Amino acid sequence: MGRDRTRDGGPAVVVSGVGAVSAAGLGADALWTAVTGRRVLTGPVTRFDMSRYPARCGAEVPAGAVADLDAMVPGHESLAGRFLAVAALEALRHGGVPERSRAHRLGVFAGTVMATRPILDRGIGTGRLDVPGRVWARPDALLDTLREVVAVTGPTVLFAPGCAAGNSAIAAGARAVATGEVDVAVCGGVSELSLEILAMFTSLRALAVDTVRPFDVNRRGTIPGEGAGALILERADRVAARGGRPLARLLGCAAGADAHNPTQPHPDGNGLVSTIHGCLDRARLTSDDVDWVCAHGTGTQASDGIEARAVAKALAGRRRPVVSSVKGQFGHAEGAAAALEAIIAVQALAADLLPGNVTLIEPDPACGGIDLVEPAGRRAPVGVVLSQAFGFGGGVSTVLLGKDDRAAG
């Protein structure tokens, strides 16, 4: 297998840059520093009046970081749209791709859940619905700010397959790059905290009142978060031609839908099992080649147990699969979650560090088939990472990332 080809002879697709906005602040470095510093960034929501809610926590982008957006991108009614534009700009600059050039065909593939909803929330009152520009009714307005700061010369696609959105966008961008539809794919996910999201999870009794504890026997639910993650995908030969150094290689993507329940995956985790096998088959790897599983791990009673059993089944091999979830630190950023976790996967590959289950106190015996990383994290060689995400309705999207042989040194 050549450096610039996949195992089946197709063009190798690599990650050349990453960018993030998260509860850790602005930048992918801030995201990784929070991971390695074991910072828990969930806390009382300050943006809304939560006095009537039984659970009042969220993982907000810090107010100082929000204020800094003014110097980075044009103003817009959608905070989410500005998050995405800032993340995309950082990722392009990180990858050495000029954001204003028309010499290449650049496409945007973005995923979200309900990131335009906060604008509608602000327009609801005692009188007539007052929403500036009717932005809430045009979901692709999330891309307006990005289009102002980046020369988008290829397709723009907005996905909304639930909380698997970020991985779905990565998969679509990877296909576009591999087939030559675009030279550069800006792939990402975005979310903005809204009263609608908080009310929905409250009605489902799915919110933790204090801390998200994925895979813990005493887990009590999730906590909504927000932000944006962006990854730049290109063909390996294109990056090499300009003297660039890939951050990671995209080894495989797979999606599935078990259509079992509006809010819960199938009890056997069939959708996740199929996507894990799909990724491994495309990469021609085995379960023992996977060094870390970056889990969906929302901290809810039903989902974590199903995920643990499915991962153990899909990756049965010589050792238990090594698993952790970062949602104990960043909450569940819905549309942004998978993209941010893919960025953390890329950073784990570079650092040879397995992020810990920071809030884990007592592992659930029902999750005994997997090797849960201790809260402090674990130093170990990391060559292949599986990152998976679930969405309501049974949708699952999984990506497989590997260390590029030119990423080190």
Side-chain angles (χ1 to χ4, degrees), residues 109-355:
F109 305 85
T112 190
V113 176
M114 293 190 295
T116 55
R117 175 71 199 200
I119 298 175
L120 178 57
D121 287 347
R122 291 195 292 272
I124 297 174
T126 56
R128 184 173 177 268
L129 182 66
D130 181 19
V131 183
R134 297 185 61 80
V135 175
W136 66 276
R138 196 167 62 82
D140 71 313
L142 284 175
L143 306 178
D144 285 352
T145 304
L146 192 156
R147 292 188 186 106
E148 286 191 61
V149 297
V150 175
V152 180
T153 52
T156 57
V157 186
L158 186 64
F159 298 86
C163 297
N167 279 353
S168 297
I170 292 169
R175 286 193 296 272
V177 169
T179 60
E181 182 181 6
V182 299
D183 302 310
V184 178
V186 179
C187 306
V190 62
S191 181
E192 180 182 343
L193 273 179
S194 69
L195 285 171
E196 178 75 8
I197 287 288
L198 291 160
M200 179 183 71
F201 280 110
T202 297
S203 69
L204 293 172
R205 295 184 174 89
L207 291 183
V209 298
D210 52 2
T211 305
V212 184
R213 299 192 185 281
F215 306 112
D216 194 287
V217 70
N218 293 312
R219 63 188 181 276
R220 292 293 180 268
T222 197
I223 291 176
E226 64 178 357
L231 299 90
I232 306 305
L233 301 185
E234 302 178 74
R235 285 173 55 146
D237 55 2
R238 173 183 162 83
V239 177
R242 67 167 184 273
R245 182 173 293 174
L247 304 176
R249 184 172 292 220
L250 190 61
L251 302 175
C253 305
D258 56 40
H260 167 72
N261 181 278
T263 60
Q264 296 180 11
H266 191 282
D268 294 333
N270 294 336
L272 178 56
V273 171
S274 69
T275 63
I276 291 174
H277 287 164
C279 283
L280 293 177
D281 290 348
R282 285 172 174 79
R284 299 187 182 179
L285 297 176
T286 70
S287 58
D288 290 317
D289 293 315
V290 178
D291 297 303
W292 177 47
V293 176
C294 182
H296 186 60
T298 57
T300 56
Q301 279 289 341
S303 182
D304 285 9
I306 292 170
E307 183 174 15
R309 292 191 297 273
V311 168
K313 177 181 178 180
L315 295 179
R318 293 192 303 269
R319 55 184 170 83
R320 291 183 301 161
V322 180
V323 179
S324 56
S325 167
V326 297
K327 288 188 175 70
Q329 297 181 259
F330 301 99
H332 185 3
E334 296 104 30
L340 291 171
E341 287 159 12
I343 292 169
I344 291 170
V346 169
Q347 293 166 318
L349 288 163
D352 283 326
L353 175 66
L354 303 173

Side-chain angles (χ1 to χ4, degrees), residues 16 92-99 104 106 184 232 234 238 242:
S16 60
L92 287 165
R93 291 165 183 169
H94 185 203
V97 179
E99 62 263 25
H104 50 238
L106 182 148
V184 178
I232 306 305
E234 302 178 74
R238 173 183 162 83
R242 67 167 184 273

